[in-house]
Amino acid sequence: MIENKFEKPSLDFVVIGFTKCASTWLYNCLDEHLDICVARPKESDFFIKENLKNNPKRIERYNNFFNHCKTESVVGEVSPMYIEKDVAFENILNNYPNVKLLVLLRSPLDREISILLYKKRFNKEKNFNLKEELKERIKDSKFYYSEYLKKWFDNFPKENILPIILESVSENPEREIGNIYSFLGVDKKFIPNFLDKKLNRT
């Protein structure tokens, strides 16, 4: 019996994490580059929603996020939640073991404060206590990046992983976006209009 062939979308890079580390800034800088095409909308979360192990043909649905792309473009997506989800790790590793990975990072304490301030903005409870909330989050293992980073570094080629530090981006965005473009193999001298937009107002 001949197995029916199905199309697996091309994928050159994925921004896998973390939230509150300037993913919107990076998405827009990537989207502006003439040689790069990013998924629409931002944060497809496809590899979280789909269990491709049970039904690999579902990978065809991934094409829907890239219908606007030119064939010659460097193609990728920005979904920071991937780094925290086992199903995303397994789906990406099984389908794109040589994909380039960009990992957004920042001071863990600053990131937690940013998350909590965002939470506070939408929290209707009047007794929301930032300090107490922060103490609880620091006790949690999720506060530490190593738990999430290890499996990615252990299973993907290290030369295919680029850590991006928010503090370095804030200090010199032109240098950092040049390094990112170079890592992706596109013109590193391109200057996006979004380059100097304010990062992480929270």
Side-chain angles (χ1 to χ4, degrees), residues 115-147:
I115 290 171
L116 287 173
L117 287 175
Y118 183 83
K119 180 181 176 182
K120 182 180 180 181
R121 186 186 306 171
F122 298 99
N123 196 311
K124 296 180 180 180
E125 297 180 16
K126 294 182 179 180
N127 61 346
F128 183 91
N129 187 305
L130 180 62
K131 288 184 178 180
E132 293 302 317
E133 290 275 347
L134 187 58
K135 286 180 182 178
E136 290 303 312
R137 292 185 70 91
I138 290 175
K139 292 178 184 177
D140 195 323
S141 61
K142 289 184 178 180
F143 178 79
Y144 303 98
Y145 294 144
S146 59
E147 175 189 349

Side-chain angles (χ1 to χ4, degrees), residues 18-185:
F18 282 86
T19 58
K20 295 300 177 185
C21 294
S23 62
T24 299
W25 173 85
L26 181 54
Y27 177 87
N28 282 283
C29 288
L30 294 172
D31 191 39
E32 284 189 46
H33 199 291
L34 301 178
D35 298 326
I36 296 174
C37 185
V38 287
R40 294 179 183 166
K42 176 179 176 283
E43 300 186 29
S44 75
D45 291 337
F46 177 83
F47 293 113
I48 295 174
K49 298 171 184 175
E50 297 286 353
N51 189 335
L52 301 175
K53 185 176 182 180
N54 294 336
N55 191 345
K57 287 189 177 182
R58 288 182 180 175
I59 193 70
E60 291 177 328
R61 301 178 185 179
Y62 199 40
N63 271 319
N64 295 330
F65 298 102
F66 304 102
N67 287 333
H68 58 288
C69 295
K70 298 177 182 178
T71 306
E72 64 274 15
S73 297
V74 173
V75 176
E77 70 151 315
V78 180
S79 289
M81 287 298 294
Y82 284 164
I83 202 162
E84 299 182 21
K85 305 297 182 181
D86 289 339
V87 64
F89 166 76
E90 293 169 4
N91 281 335
I92 295 172
L93 180 63
N94 291 335
N95 288 279
Y96 300 101
N98 294 307
V99 72
K100 290 184 177 180
L101 302 172
L102 293 84
V103 188
L104 291 165
L105 303 165
R106 72 186 292 189
S107 159
L109 184 59
D110 288 344
R111 177 174 176 265
E112 291 301 324
I113 292 173
S114 181
I115 290 171
L116 287 173
L117 287 175
Y118 183 83
K119 180 181 176 182
K120 182 180 180 181
R121 186 186 306 171
F122 298 99
N123 196 311
K124 296 180 180 180
E125 297 180 16
K126 294 182 179 180
N127 61 346
F128 183 91
N129 187 305
L130 180 62
K131 288 184 178 180
E132 293 302 317
E133 290 275 347
L134 187 58
K135 286 180 182 178
E136 290 303 312
R137 292 185 70 91
I138 290 175
K139 292 178 184 177
D140 195 323
S141 61
K142 289 184 178 180
F143 178 79
Y144 303 98
Y145 294 144
S146 59
E147 175 189 349
Y148 301 105
L149 293 174
K150 188 177 187 304
K151 62 185 178 185
W152 296 88
F153 275 87
D154 285 349
N155 289 277
F156 287 87
K158 290 181 176 58
E159 63 273 17
N160 282 11
I161 304 177
L162 179 67
I164 303 167
I165 312 299
L166 176 61
E167 287 78 7
S168 296
V169 172
S170 299
E171 179 184 298
N172 193 331
E174 185 173 341
R175 177 193 64 204
E176 295 303 311
I177 198 62
N179 290 339
I180 292 166
Y181 288 155
S182 180
F183 175 73
L184 296 177

